[in-house]
Amino acid sequence: MLRTRNFVGIWAKTVLKGRTAGLVNTHPDGRFPDSLIIYRVILFSGLFLALIDTSPLDGQSPQAAIAFLAEQEKPEFREGHKLPALSHWRFLSPDVARVLAEDWGFALPLHVRPDHIDQLDDPNSDPGRIVRLARDHPEIFRLQLVVAPSRAFDFGLDREDMPEGTFYRNENGALVEGEYYFSPLAPNSAFVRIGRLFAEMIETVERYASVSIILNGGEYGLKKPHFVPQRIAGQDPLVMEEWRNDGRSWLEFTSSHKARHERVVRRALLRAAPDAMYIHYSEVGGGHTRRKMVPDWENHDFLYQPGVSDLAAPPLYFRHANSGFTGQRDMLSQLLNARGQELSMGAAFAYYWVSAGWYRRNPDLIADIERYEGFLKMCYIAGGIGTIAGYFGSRPYQDPVETTFPQFIAQSRIHAFFSHLDEFLLESSLLPGPDRHRWSRDLPAYEFPTGNGNRRVLVRKHRDRDQWLVGAWAADGRAGSVEVEIPLAGKFDLEAIAETNVYLIEIADGLSQKRKKRP
């Protein structure tokens, strides 16, 4: 059991220090002052908060986090498993990051920014300590880079020096509404500059230690209509002409150009760290979780495009643009909505951005850990092979460790569980089930009906053997039995529980056999 007194904790107000949003130019109506612009962006995007301030954290000490982790039962990973390391999108002290890497399966994070790169020579600095751990003990510590291209103009690029055509311009050649809104027709050369800026810093890191994972936080450059409405584009005659001649919807048109931009950045960063796994946040890097869920779904994200992220990477944050584990807009249905799009384009596996929620002045916005662990198991059965931890409501040490670090622990335990099933995960496929998805009727549901909307069952089939891996989750926390029929295997009675029961079904001597997999 997780030793924790109170998973909710207290609210700690985040203070914005008047910093600009870098490449994130988000004036929803073109008239808000900068302070309100930043505030609105934070409301609509939890991850953007991490992009504003990734400096060392204050508040509750890292020692409290280390002491909390020391009290917990450590997970048992299979030695030599093939799953990637877990990662996280926040600044953690090297001491805390070291514990998470040594005992809990996480990579060591380093934020790619000039002031951190300048400190690599100093063995007593935080960045210097991180790279030396990864260099001296590569069998234990894998290095994860956090890249925020939204800060490119803070890090040395000049908006006024960007190539012609980078930003929307009106019929008079002036910036639309006087703002630097990226155009879908922005030339590749604009993103060569952005990629080169970060690639040069990554090359410096590589001289100290090999990079295993690169996380690109996205949310920069060409923005989805939720942040930059189509009326902005409508004032650029060249863009409008190109779109009309293209013949596709605005979402398809902008998604393809967003992917073109991001592939340029990806190539630059991977040239600097050729052995790294490259993960791009959502946008074109993961399936659209809200596709056809709401009438204005086309405003809320781009469409998934192959070749941007090495693994599909949609966001799955509890009670953030969803109704939690149950309800009309539940998280598993959103996950399977994204998976259907990704699988249709050949993306067999995923690496999810996840969170059990952050406080936001309402304890109902944080999930209970048992059901969160059950949800994470369903993520892996759906095709996940790792996750990225996010706690975006405030800085980790400003809330008690009981509100944040149980999320790391849950991810670690589930990752360890599936490290013993890695061969099966990597050599199997998610079965489509008999139904269509509840929102995207053109895609399979990728789950099996149980007769109870809160008892969910997913099934993977091994490609070469008559074996099936089955997850049975009680999304509402109320355990109960369900009967499921699996093609070629037969009918089975399963027990759906909050933490998700995982079963291995196989055919031996012509008979189907079922056994429960234990953590």
Side-chain angles (χ1 to χ4, degrees):
M1 289 293 294
L2 183 68
R3 301 184 185 93
T4 176
R5 296 187 300 277
N6 174 17
F7 186 59
V8 173
I10 62 173
W11 169 256
K13 184 178 180 182
T14 299
V15 179
L16 296 179
K17 300 180 179 179
R19 299 186 181 185
T20 62
L23 289 178
V24 183
N25 299 298
T26 51
H27 292 218
D29 64 4
R31 293 187 298 273
F32 286 100
D34 288 346
S35 59
L36 288 181
I37 294 163
I38 295 175
Y39 179 65
R40 286 173 66 89
V41 173
I42 292 169
L43 285 177
F44 290 118
S45 171
L47 204 137
F48 179 75
L49 183 60
L51 304 186
I52 293 176
D53 188 356
T54 53
S55 58
L57 305 175
D58 49 21
Q60 189 162 338
S61 72
Q63 286 69 35
I66 293 171
F68 178 81
L69 291 169
E71 294 178 354
Q72 313 304 321
E73 182 180 354
K74 296 178 177 61
E76 295 183 6
F77 290 88
R78 185 182 73 80
E79 186 175 352
H81 71 83
K82 304 300 183 183
L83 302 182
L86 300 167
S87 53
H88 41 90
W89 181 267
R90 295 312 304 263
F91 186 96
L92 295 173
S93 79
D95 296 323
V96 176
R98 177 172 183 160
V99 171
L100 288 172
E102 283 180 324
D103 299 327
W104 301 90
F106 283 85
L108 285 172
L110 177 69
H111 288 250
V112 179
R113 41 187 289 171
D115 56 333
H116 288 192
I117 301 303
D118 290 344
Q119 297 176 59
L120 294 179
D121 273 339
D122 181 1
N124 296 315
S125 69
D126 286 354
R129 292 169 63 196
I130 289 289
V131 294
R132 282 162 179 78
L133 282 172
R135 179 195 66 192
D136 297 342
H137 305 282
E139 73 284 0
I140 300 175
F141 301 110
R142 284 167 284 185
L143 187 60
Q144 162 214 326
L145 300 185
V146 174
V147 177
S150 61
R151 302 293 303 278
F153 293 138
D154 296 329
F155 295 163
L157 290 190
D158 185 345
R159 291 180 177 86
E160 296 184 359
D161 192 41
M162 295 296 279
E164 183 179 353
T166 297
F167 306 109
Y168 283 124
R169 293 189 179 271
N170 61 27
E171 59 184 357
N172 298 320
L175 292 169
V176 171
E177 300 189 3
E179 298 291 342
Y180 290 96
Y181 294 117
F182 272 79
S183 164
L185 302 185
N188 287 356
S189 56
F191 294 88
V192 167
R193 295 188 186 186
I194 295 171
R196 183 186 303 129
L197 174 69
F198 288 93
E200 289 175 354
M201 290 189 279
I202 293 173
E203 287 171 355
T204 301
V205 174
E206 278 273 331
R207 291 199 285 270
Y208 291 86
S210 179
V211 176
S212 294
I213 301 171
I214 299 174
L215 301 183
N216 183 334
E219 298 192 322
Y220 72 102
L222 181 62
K223 304 307 294 291
K224 51 196 174 186
H226 183 64
F227 287 152
V228 179
Q230 192 174 345
R231 67 170 180 77
I232 300 294
Q235 299 177 57
D236 187 320
L238 294 179
V239 170
M240 288 295 98
E241 181 181 8
E242 183 71 19
W243 174 45
R244 285 190 291 268
N245 292 337
D246 183 88
R248 291 177 291 177
S249 71
W250 180 250
L251 181 61
E252 292 169 326
F253 175 74
T254 54
S255 295
S256 66
H257 281 289
K258 177 69 172 177
R260 173 175 61 83
H261 301 162
E262 295 305 328
R263 291 183 187 119
V264 172
V265 176
R266 176 181 180 273
R267 284 193 297 269
L269 302 192
L270 287 179
R271 277 196 295 267
D275 296 328
M277 177 179 75
Y278 182 83
I279 302 296
H280 189 284
Y281 173 70
S282 186
E283 298 180 319
V284 287
H288 194 322
T289 58
R290 288 174 278 176
R291 179 179 186 260
K292 300 189 177 183
M293 185 186 80
V294 291
D296 65 339
W297 66 272
E298 292 181 323
N299 291 329
H300 292 285
D301 215 337
F302 294 104
L303 297 173
Y304 172 72
Q305 303 286 304
V308 172
S309 183
D310 288 353
L311 298 173
L316 302 163
Y317 307 145
F318 183 77
R319 297 291 300 275
H320 183 74
N322 60 67
S323 57
F325 299 141
T326 60
Q328 293 300 310
R329 301 177 180 180
D330 71 271
M331 291 172 67
L332 185 58
S333 293
Q334 288 194 353
L335 162 64
L336 297 174
N337 196 15
R339 278 273 70 200
Q341 301 158 56
E342 296 156 4
L343 289 167
S344 72
M345 295 189 175
F349 302 106
Y351 193 78
Y352 303 108
W353 301 77
V354 298
S355 175
W358 51 96
Y359 191 40
R360 293 172 285 177
R361 304 184 185 182
N362 184 347
D364 292 335
L365 299 181
I366 295 182
D368 66 86
I369 279 296
E370 288 76 16
R371 284 195 291 162
Y372 185 55
E373 289 189 351
F375 174 74
L376 290 175
K377 286 181 183 176
M378 299 296 267
C379 287
Y380 280 74
I381 294 174
I385 58 173
T387 53
I388 305 160
Y391 188 89
F392 305 120
S394 63
R395 302 174 181 183
Y397 306 128
Q398 288 182 323
D399 286 352
V401 294
E402 291 93 334
T403 71
T404 55
F405 284 90
Q407 302 194 24
F408 288 96
I409 293 168
Q411 288 176 251
S412 176
R413 288 180 175 170
I414 303 313
H415 202 55
F417 177 85
F418 283 98
S419 74
H420 297 270
L421 295 166
D422 60 334
E423 183 273 339
F424 196 109
L425 284 181
L426 297 171
E427 297 297 331
S428 62
S429 301
L430 181 65
L431 295 187
D435 300 330
R436 312 305 290 175
H437 193 276
R438 60 192 289 195
W439 305 317
S440 293
R441 305 297 295 173
D442 55 328
L443 297 172
Y446 285 103
E447 66 177 307
F448 285 76
T450 67
N452 183 323
N454 288 325
R455 295 176 187 171
R456 317 289 291 270
V457 171
L458 305 185
V459 182
R460 295 188 72 80
K461 168 71 170 67
H462 198 282
R463 296 191 185 107
D464 301 320
R465 301 194 295 267
D466 288 330
Q467 291 182 331
W468 296 259
L469 196 66
V470 182
W473 181 41
D476 59 359
R478 299 173 182 173
S481 62
V482 296
E483 183 182 77
V484 173
E485 183 171 3
I486 301 173
L488 303 179
K491 289 185 178 181
F492 298 91
D493 290 323
L494 309 173
E495 183 75 8
I497 62 172
E499 300 94 330
T500 295
N501 270 326
V502 177
Y503 297 90
L504 180 65
I505 294 173
E506 55 189 342
I507 296 178
D509 299 326
L511 299 175
S512 295
Q513 301 178 355
K514 173 188 72 177
R515 66 178 186 270
K516 194 178 298 184
K517 303 299 290 184
R518 301 292 183 184

